[in-house]
Amino acid sequence: MSERRILVTSALPYANGHIHIGHLVEYLQTDIWARFQRLRGHRCIYMCADDTHGTAIMIRARQEGRSETELIADMSAAHQRDFAEFQIAFDHYGSTDSAANRELCARVWQALRKGGMVAEREIEQLYDPQAGTFLADRFVTGSCPKCGASDQYGDSCDKCGATYSPADLVDPRSKLSGATPELRTARHLFVEIEQLHDWLERWVAAGHLQDEVVNYLKGHFLSQPLRDWDISRPAPYFGFEIPDAPGNYWYVWFDAPIGYMAATHEWCAAHNEDFDAWWRDDGTEIHHFIGKDITYFHTLFWPAMLHVAGLRTPDRVQIHGFLTVNGEKMSKTKGTFVNARTYLDHLDPTYLRYYYASKLGARTDDIDMNLEEFAAKVNSDLVGKLVNLASRTARFVADTGLSASYPDDGGLFAAAAAAGEEIAAHYERCEYAQVCRRVMALADAANEYVESAAPWALRKDPTQAQRLQDVCTVALNLFRQLMVYLTPVLPEMSRATGELLAAPITAWSDATVPLAGSPVGAFKHLLKRVDPKRIEAMITDTRKAADEAAAARGADAPVAPATDPAEALAPEIAFDTFAAVDLRVARVAAAEHVDGADKLLRLELDLGPLGRRSVFAGIKRAYAPEQLVDRLVVCVANLAARKMKFGLSEGMILAAGPGGKDLWLLAPDSGAQPGMRIA
């Protein structure tokens, strides 16, 4: 197996807020993949930085009475502390507000100018005369021009679902100062990305993306001319001023991804490496890990910028879904919008690393953190199966060490060694849930061996001393073998395993050769069981912080209670009545708005061997069509078709919540396939 040279990135966290458990899905997914590549013997560097520019940073710094550079320095230190405690191992962590990033932005900009990709024109935009700044959509509120609902954002109405321009709002107000915005004209610069339409179509189809992402891009963007990208913002703005357009600044989405290169540039300078070898040489692989909310920027604009600048385009953009908690969107008032620091105050980061890995697949499906399942899975898999192998045997050979030669184990070690390439293939494809399932199946077999051999009973019989040593040698080698496979997920437990057995885990091949004749250290607890009381304390602290923040803002209304009153149960039904409902897994093949319908989306559901169904669902206020394509849902498949004025609805999808924007689709776990019956 030849060595690969790999550069890996995660999306840059924004410097306007702290890291939370939703963010950690991405950074842990990336860290696991990078650690796996290193364990396989490849050269893999992991680059990241803080995304530091934009209006939000500028406004927050003003409100706090300090400079933007002071603000972003504090946030960078906080981010890096949190990442380090979750054992996320960056090779370099930089900032987009750096000299290297400014220089690289200028290089890319010059290439766009030289390529004839930049256009200039005047546009009208709302301006806050008191704050002295142009206003992004989210900084303007007013009454909806369609239904009259008050306190709506500048781009869409929560009540009726209408979309509009901020200038269309009735009685608009700036969220920054409360002033009435003025409509002003400013010069903006645009990148005419449509010039690269044909090239982007070829790049998108060339295997760099998941299939569902390719379908999304083809259906929503590449099927029509691409809109010009507004690349500039007028002063005042915290960012880099455009050298050939004084008074204009590069929009944050221009300089943020260039931050990947700037971080690499700084790392190269510190390690005497060649920057071009990492960003121009065909011998390097570039892999980006991002969330699906920023697909548009990373799969169209970013490859286009790199292509025009003569730089390597990504070999892979791995896109993941969002995190829900207990089946719902993360909520501060319910205590489930948990900051990384709050989690660390109460729980071991190893728990979260394993739990996320056990849920993550290669697709863009959302993952749910069910807190009861979280505790049960960690306690069962890590403590009850994995650590159990060492805790039940290590103390019996602390004085003797392992047997001089590896004993007969009935083929267990050889079988697990043979599974190594299958497990490696799952890691390579980001199928971490499959890794965990396969390793836990091997752990089950190892525990059956220990249970059958009963070393605790052998210890009572002095004539069985050699047999006891042999059994413990087998058990500890099987334990170490499984820890090799889980080293990317559980780096701290892997380190402790190396100390226990006087043999640090350094390579994937460590799983193929058993230890013999080596000492065994005094056993120390590798991992405690999850205490549900610590989870409750974490939720309580999160809720308390939300209450205090609301009070500090001078909120007029009290914070919503942690739990809403339960809706009354429907009348009891017989089991046969329930059994008559045929629930099936379905994949959303297509989703679109319905002309004339305020609440409905039309979905085309793929039920695998059962064919396709057209279903109208009242979820328009909670989900945009592009969020649904290729998502797994639960469908009532034997519901009688219903004739509606918009067409025929041939089923129903299941969702929870009171309605409107507060709806959450029910989804099967990863691994389910369209057409499967739900029992």
Side-chain angles (χ1 to χ4, degrees), residues 584-602:
R584 301 281 179 150
V585 176
R587 189 180 305 284
V588 179
E592 62 186 9
H593 292 290
V594 179
D595 290 341
D598 293 335
K599 300 179 180 179
L600 295 178
L601 295 178
R602 191 189 78 81

Side-chain angles (χ1 to χ4, degrees), residues 19 21 24 78-79 81-87 338-350 352 534 538:
I19 303 300
I21 60 172
L24 288 169
H79 287 175
R81 281 194 303 269
D82 290 346
F83 286 137
E85 291 194 42
F86 276 97
Q87 300 145 37
V338 181
N339 278 341
R341 180 51 44 188
T342 307
Y343 177 99
L344 291 165
D345 287 342
H346 295 282
L347 296 168
D348 192 320
T350 294
L352 198 70
R534 302 306 302 164
M538 177 183 73

Side-chain angles (χ1 to χ4, degrees), residues 73-242:
D74 285 351
M75 290 307 301
S76 178
H79 287 175
Q80 291 185 67
R81 281 194 303 269
D82 290 346
F83 286 137
E85 291 194 42
F86 276 97
Q87 300 145 37
I88 296 168
F90 302 113
D91 287 273
H92 184 77
Y93 196 91
S95 166
T96 57
D97 192 48
S98 67
N101 204 39
R102 184 190 294 271
E103 178 186 344
L104 287 164
C105 285
R107 290 187 198 176
V108 174
W109 182 250
Q110 289 170 2
L112 292 170
R113 283 282 203 189
K114 186 176 180 180
M117 299 283 294
V118 179
E120 301 181 22
R121 56 178 177 267
E122 301 287 319
I123 67 167
E124 290 187 326
Q125 190 176 358
L126 291 181
Y127 181 86
D128 184 328
Q130 288 188 24
T133 185
F134 285 92
L135 297 169
D137 295 349
R138 65 184 181 278
F139 290 124
V140 185
T141 60
S143 298
C144 172
K146 304 293 184 182
C147 72
S150 60
D151 197 28
Q152 298 302 308
Y153 282 111
D155 56 352
S156 64
C157 177
D158 287 344
K159 301 297 182 182
C160 71
T163 58
Y164 40 74
S165 164
D168 296 330
L169 282 171
V170 179
D171 297 324
R173 288 288 181 272
S174 166
K175 291 192 69 177
L176 302 182
S177 68
T180 300
E182 302 172 355
L183 197 60
R184 292 192 182 183
T185 300
R187 182 176 64 146
H188 281 238
L189 291 88
F190 296 81
V191 174
E192 296 179 330
I193 194 173
E194 172 61 16
Q195 293 185 36
L196 296 176
H197 194 125
D198 291 344
W199 180 85
L200 283 168
E201 280 193 328
R202 293 193 298 273
W203 186 85
V204 164
H208 305 297
L209 308 167
Q210 294 119 303
D211 290 343
E212 62 266 37
V213 176
V214 173
N215 293 336
Y216 167 69
L217 294 174
K218 286 182 176 180
H220 290 81
F221 300 106
L222 294 171
S223 60
Q224 54 194 313
L226 295 167
R227 294 181 181 179
D228 293 348
W229 181 22
D230 188 348
I231 204 68
S232 71
R233 294 295 183 269
Y237 189 80
F238 179 57
F240 293 143
E241 189 172 24
I242 302 175

